[in-house]
Amino acid sequence: MQGKLVKLRAYEKSDADALLRWFSDEEVTRWLGPPNFPSRAQQEKFIELAQASGDDAKYFAIETLDGKLIGDTGIRFIDWKSRKAEFFITIGEKQCWDKGFGTDALRVVIRLAFDKMNLNRLWLTTLADNLRAVRCYGKCGFVREGLLRQESFVDGKYRDVHLMALLREDYDRTRGA
Ligand SMILES: CC(C)(COP(=O)(O)OP(=O)(O)OC[C@H]1O[C@@H](n2cnc3c(N)ncnc32)[C@H](O)[C@@H]1OP(=O)(O)O)[C@@H](O)C(=O)NCCC(=O)NCCS
């Protein structure tokens, strides 16, 4: 699946080093919640899980159009009865932040979720002070639905978290369906 700046592809075994580097980098993980300190074995296990995932989640590596691996995205907790899922994303290569890659990857996932999977609601949570992420989600039509007070303990402080979502009807309206 391809956007204007990125393509999404399935994970490969050889992606483990990049994943380990990203998710060991505090400048990246600081935006994802309490630290995790992953091992290479955990990243390899994640890739196996991602490759085997079926109805409950879809995991993708994000590549630039010229084939450079830059991040991780997808949807999880797919609920087929209520037709909803949680969106997640990390552009792990910090030098690629603020260049439109995250927004483009999100737009590709939105098309997958609504046009191909016929979901009705995409939701996500983000630290309230993650202004880059909030801006990226807002550009794609996500609306803030709630504030989870002191939801996440990061950098020695309890931090507020936004709950945001995009409904199919909003997506249809913005693309004139
Ligand atoms: C959040 C993330 C996915 C966004 O992807 P990205 O490619 O960096 O974002 P984009 O370039 O598509 O869009 C970022 C927007 O935020 C804006 N922005 C950046 N810093 C900002 C700030 N401090 N305040 C307000 N807006 C800001 C940019 O200017 C841009 O908006 P614009 O296009 O109107 O100029 C990516 O930065 C990332 O993975 N960060 C680390 C992990 C993370 O935060 N994951 C999300 C967890 S919920």
Side-chain angles (χ1 to χ4, degrees), residues 113-150:
F114 292 132
D115 294 345
K116 290 199 175 11
M117 297 172 67
N118 197 24
L119 296 184
N120 182 59
R121 171 181 164 87
L122 268 188
W123 62 274
L124 61 85
T125 58
T126 180
L127 291 172
D129 66 354
N130 193 349
L131 300 181
R132 182 181 290 115
V134 169
R135 169 81 187 132
C136 168
Y137 304 145
K139 279 196 289 181
C140 295
F142 277 75
V143 170
R144 206 184 91 177
E145 294 185 334
L147 181 73
L148 312 177
R149 296 178 305 155
Q150 300 188 9

Coordinates of all heavy atoms in Angstrom, one line a residue, residues 113-150:
A113 N -8.4 1.0 6.5 CA -9.4 0.7 7.5 C -10.8 0.9 7.0 O -11.7 0.1 7.3 CB -9.1 1.6 8.8
F114 N -11.0 2.0 6.3 CA -12.4 2.4 5.9 C -12.7 1.8 4.5 O -13.8 1.2 4.4 CB -12.6 3.9 5.9 CG -12.6 4.5 7.3 CD1 -11.8 5.6 7.6 CD2 -13.3 3.9 8.3 CE1 -11.8 6.1 8.9 CE2 -13.3 4.4 9.6 CZ -12.5 5.5 9.9
D115 N -11.8 1.9 3.6 CA -12.2 1.5 2.2 C -12.1 0.0 2.0 O -12.9 -0.7 1.3 CB -11.3 2.2 1.2 CG -11.5 3.7 1.1 OD1 -12.5 4.1 1.7 OD2 -10.7 4.4 0.6
K116 N -11.0 -0.6 2.6 CA -10.8 -2.1 2.4 C -11.4 -2.9 3.5 O -11.9 -4.0 3.2 CB -9.3 -2.3 2.3 CG -8.6 -1.8 1.0 CD -7.3 -2.5 0.8 CE -6.6 -2.2 -0.4 NZ -6.8 -1.1 -1.3
M117 N -11.3 -2.5 4.8 CA -11.7 -3.3 5.9 C -13.1 -3.0 6.3 O -13.7 -3.7 7.2 CB -10.8 -3.2 7.0 CG -9.4 -3.8 6.7 SD -8.2 -3.5 7.9 CE -8.8 -4.5 9.3
N118 N -13.7 -1.9 5.8 CA -15.0 -1.5 6.1 C -15.2 -1.2 7.6 O -16.3 -1.6 8.2 CB -16.0 -2.5 5.6 CG -17.4 -1.9 5.6 OD1 -17.6 -0.7 5.5 ND2 -18.5 -2.8 5.6
L119 N -14.2 -0.7 8.3 CA -14.4 -0.3 9.7 C -15.2 0.9 9.8 O -15.4 1.7 8.8 CB -13.0 -0.2 10.4 CG -12.1 -1.4 10.5 CD1 -10.9 -1.2 11.2 CD2 -12.9 -2.6 11.1
N120 N -15.7 1.2 11.0 CA -16.5 2.4 11.3 C -15.8 3.5 12.1 O -16.2 4.6 12.1 CB -17.8 2.0 11.9 CG -18.7 3.2 12.2 OD1 -19.1 3.9 11.2 ND2 -19.0 3.5 13.4
R121 N -14.8 3.0 12.9 CA -14.2 3.9 13.8 C -12.7 3.6 14.0 O -12.4 2.4 14.3 CB -14.9 3.9 15.2 CG -14.3 4.6 16.3 CD -15.2 4.4 17.6 NE -14.4 4.7 18.8 CZ -14.4 6.0 19.3 NH1 -15.1 6.9 18.7 NH2 -13.7 6.2 20.4
L122 N -11.8 4.6 13.9 CA -10.4 4.4 14.3 C -10.2 5.3 15.5 O -10.5 6.5 15.4 CB -9.5 4.9 13.1 CG -9.1 3.9 12.0 CD1 -8.1 4.6 11.1 CD2 -8.5 2.6 12.6
W123 N -9.6 4.7 16.5 CA -9.3 5.5 17.7 C -7.8 5.4 18.1 O -7.1 4.5 17.6 CB -10.2 5.1 18.9 CG -10.0 3.7 19.3 CD1 -10.6 2.6 18.8 CD2 -9.2 3.2 20.4 NE1 -10.2 1.5 19.5 CE2 -9.3 1.8 20.4 CE3 -8.3 3.9 21.3 CZ2 -8.6 1.1 21.4 CZ3 -7.6 3.1 22.2 CH2 -7.8 1.7 22.2
L124 N -7.4 6.3 18.9 CA -6.0 6.3 19.3 C -5.9 7.1 20.6 O -6.8 7.9 21.0 CB -5.1 6.9 18.3 CG -5.3 8.4 17.9 CD1 -4.6 9.3 18.8 CD2 -4.8 8.6 16.5
T125 N -4.8 6.9 21.3 CA -4.4 7.7 22.5 C -3.1 8.3 22.3 O -2.2 7.7 21.6 CB -4.5 6.9 23.8 OG1 -3.5 5.9 23.7 CG2 -5.8 6.4 24.1
T126 N -2.9 9.5 22.8 CA -1.6 10.1 22.7 C -1.3 11.0 23.9 O -2.3 11.6 24.4 CB -1.5 11.0 21.4 OG1 -0.2 11.6 21.3 CG2 -2.5 12.1 21.3
L127 N -0.1 11.1 24.3 CA 0.2 12.0 25.4 C -0.2 13.4 25.0 O 0.0 13.9 23.8 CB 1.7 12.1 25.7 CG 2.3 10.8 26.3 CD1 3.8 10.9 26.3 CD2 1.8 10.5 27.7
A128 N -0.9 14.1 25.9 CA -1.4 15.4 25.6 C -0.3 16.4 25.1 O -0.6 17.3 24.3 CB -2.2 16.0 26.7
D129 N 0.9 16.3 25.6 CA 2.0 17.2 25.2 C 2.7 16.7 24.0 O 3.7 17.4 23.6 CB 2.9 17.4 26.4 CG 3.7 16.2 26.8 OD1 3.4 15.1 26.2 OD2 4.6 16.3 27.6
N130 N 2.2 15.7 23.3 CA 2.8 15.3 22.1 C 2.2 16.1 20.9 O 1.4 15.6 20.2 CB 2.6 13.8 21.9 CG 3.5 13.2 20.7 OD1 4.1 14.0 20.0 ND2 3.6 11.9 20.6
L131 N 2.6 17.4 20.9 CA 1.9 18.3 20.0 C 2.1 17.9 18.5 O 1.3 18.2 17.7 CB 2.4 19.7 20.2 CG 2.2 20.2 21.7 CD1 2.7 21.6 21.8 CD2 0.7 20.1 22.0
R132 N 3.3 17.3 18.2 CA 3.5 16.9 16.8 C 2.5 15.8 16.4 O 1.9 15.9 15.3 CB 4.9 16.3 16.7 CG 5.3 15.9 15.3 CD 6.7 15.4 15.3 NE 7.7 16.4 15.5 CZ 8.6 16.4 16.5 NH1 8.5 15.5 17.4 NH2 9.5 17.4 16.6
A133 N 2.3 14.9 17.3 CA 1.3 13.8 17.0 C -0.1 14.3 16.9 O -0.8 14.0 16.0 CB 1.5 12.7 18.1
V134 N -0.4 15.2 17.9 CA -1.8 15.7 17.9 C -2.1 16.5 16.6 O -3.1 16.4 16.0 CB -2.0 16.7 19.1 CG1 -3.3 17.4 19.0 CG2 -2.0 15.8 20.4
R135 N -1.1 17.2 16.1 CA -1.2 18.0 14.9 C -1.4 17.0 13.7 O -2.2 17.2 12.8 CB 0.0 18.9 14.7 CG 0.2 19.5 13.3 CD -0.7 20.8 13.2 NE -0.7 21.2 11.8 CZ -1.7 21.6 11.1 NH1 -2.9 21.5 11.6 NH2 -1.6 22.0 9.9
C136 N -0.5 16.0 13.7 CA -0.6 15.0 12.6 C -2.0 14.3 12.6 O -2.6 14.2 11.5 CB 0.5 14.0 12.9 SG 0.5 12.5 11.9
Y137 N -2.5 13.9 13.7 CA -3.8 13.3 13.8 C -4.9 14.3 13.4 O -5.9 13.9 12.6 CB -4.1 12.7 15.2 CG -3.0 11.7 15.6 CD1 -2.6 11.7 17.0 CD2 -2.4 10.9 14.7 CE1 -1.7 10.8 17.4 CE2 -1.4 10.0 15.2 CZ -1.0 10.0 16.5 OH -0.1 9.1 16.9
G138 N -4.8 15.5 13.9 CA -5.8 16.5 13.5 C -5.9 16.8 12.0 O -7.0 16.9 11.4
K139 N -4.7 16.8 11.4 CA -4.7 17.0 9.9 C -5.4 16.0 9.2 O -5.9 16.2 8.1 CB -3.2 17.0 9.4 CG -2.5 18.3 9.6 CD -1.2 18.4 8.8 CE -0.1 17.5 9.3 NZ 1.1 17.6 8.5
C140 N -5.5 14.8 9.8 CA -6.2 13.6 9.1 C -7.6 13.5 9.5 O -8.3 12.5 9.2 CB -5.4 12.3 9.4 SG -3.8 12.3 8.6
G141 N -8.1 14.4 10.3 CA -9.5 14.4 10.7 C -9.8 13.9 12.0 O -11.0 13.8 12.4
F142 N -8.8 13.4 12.8 CA -9.1 12.9 14.1 C -9.6 14.0 15.0 O -9.0 15.1 15.0 CB -7.9 12.2 14.7 CG -7.7 10.8 14.3 CD1 -7.2 10.5 13.0 CD2 -8.0 9.7 15.1 CE1 -7.0 9.2 12.5 CE2 -7.8 8.4 14.7 CZ -7.3 8.2 13.4
V143 N -10.6 13.7 15.9 CA -11.2 14.6 16.8 C -10.9 14.2 18.2 O -10.9 13.0 18.5 CB -12.7 14.7 16.5 CG1 -13.4 15.5 17.6 CG2 -13.0 15.2 15.1
R144 N -10.6 15.2 19.0 CA -10.4 14.9 20.5 C -11.7 14.5 21.1 O -12.6 15.4 21.1 CB -9.7 16.0 21.1 CG -8.8 15.6 22.3 CD -8.3 16.8 23.0 NE -9.2 17.2 24.1 CZ -8.9 18.2 24.9 NH1 -7.8 18.9 24.9 NH2 -9.8 18.5 25.9
E145 N -11.8 13.4 21.7 CA -13.0 13.0 22.4 C -13.0 13.0 23.9 O -14.0 13.1 24.6 CB -13.4 11.5 22.0 CG -13.7 11.4 20.5 CD -14.2 10.0 20.2 OE1 -13.8 9.0 20.9 OE2 -14.9 9.9 19.2
G146 N -11.7 13.0 24.4 CA -11.7 13.0 25.9 C -10.2 13.2 26.4 O -9.3 13.0 25.6
L147 N -10.1 13.5 27.6 CA -8.8 13.7 28.3 C -8.7 12.7 29.4 O -9.6 12.7 30.3 CB -8.7 15.1 28.8 CG -7.4 15.4 29.5 CD1 -6.3 15.6 28.4 CD2 -7.5 16.7 30.3
L148 N -7.8 11.8 29.4 CA -7.5 10.8 30.4 C -6.5 11.4 31.4 O -5.3 11.5 31.0 CB -7.0 9.5 29.8 CG -7.9 9.0 28.7 CD1 -7.3 7.7 28.1 CD2 -9.3 8.7 29.1
R149 N -6.9 11.9 32.5 CA -6.1 12.7 33.4 C -5.0 11.8 34.1 O -5.3 10.7 34.6 CB -6.9 13.4 34.5 CG -7.8 14.4 33.9 CD -8.7 15.1 34.9 NE -9.4 14.1 35.7 CZ -9.8 14.2 37.0 NH1 -9.6 15.4 37.6 NH2 -10.5 13.3 37.6
Q150 N -3.7 12.2 34.0 CA -2.6 11.5 34.6 C -2.6 10.0 34.3 O -2.4 9.2 35.2 CB -2.7 11.7 36.2 CG -2.6 13.2 36.5 CD -2.4 13.5 38.0 OE1 -2.2 12.5 38.8 NE2 -2.6 14.7 38.4

